[in-house]
Amino acid sequence: QVQLVESGGGSVQAGGSLRLSCAVSLYTFPGPDRCMAWFRQAPGKEREGVAIMSTNGGSTAYTDAVKGRFTIYLDNANNTLYLQMNNLKPEDTAMYYCAAVRRTFGCPLLAEYVNYWGQGTQVTVSS
């Protein structure tokens, strides 16, 4: 069954914005504290963590490349995880994945700790 479904990707010019959505049927929010994250993978590169949050309390962490530009947040009413991306740069071009991350002394933004992946949504930023 489908448990994480991303949407909202597209093509934008540098400096533009996009909001990615991840419909979560894996869990019901609010509930037990979970780690939910966004990862991305550009062609020829390894998948990297972009942002992660704790679903109770809302603590967040970001990779340095997106700090101050991206915001991860959860809408409990819609059971949806979002990634607001502002001031996009060409280097943000990648396939973006929603992920449920295994909690280990906090929420690790590492692919090796991901239990579930979404199918991905493509983001392309042109200069």
Side-chain angles (χ1 to χ4, degrees):
Q1 79 246 36
V2 178
Q3 297 175 318
L4 300 171
V5 180
E6 302 96 332
S7 60
S11 297
V12 297
Q13 290 190 327
S17 298
L18 284 173
R19 188 180 71 166
L20 305 183
S21 302
C22 175
V24 181
S25 58
L26 179 63
Y27 306 128
T28 298
F29 304 115
D33 202 6
R34 309 284 189 184
C35 301
M36 296 297 299
W38 290 94
F39 287 74
R40 67 185 180 186
Q41 187 167 20
K45 295 188 177 182
E46 292 188 355
R47 194 169 296 191
E48 66 169 347
V50 175
I52 193 166
M53 70 175 295
S54 176
T55 59
N56 290 350
S59 62
T60 59
Y62 299 87
T63 190
D64 286 346
V66 308
K67 284 180 181 176
R69 300 189 296 122
F70 290 11
T71 303
I72 185 173
Y73 64 99
L74 181 66
D75 183 341
N76 287 338
N78 293 320
N79 234 58
T80 301
L81 181 74
Y82 294 97
L83 184 68
Q84 178 66 47
M85 306 186 296
N86 297 329
N87 190 21
L88 282 160
K89 303 176 180 181
E91 52 264 43
D92 294 318
T93 295
M95 184 72 79
Y96 283 72
Y97 299 89
C98 176
V101 179
R102 185 166 66 255
R103 175 173 289 277
T104 309
F105 297 106
C107 293
L109 189 52
L110 296 169
E112 64 202 78
Y113 290 96
V114 172
N115 285 337
Y116 298 95
W117 294 100
Q119 84 287 353
T121 185
Q122 177 68 38
V123 172
T124 303
V125 185
S126 58
S127 57

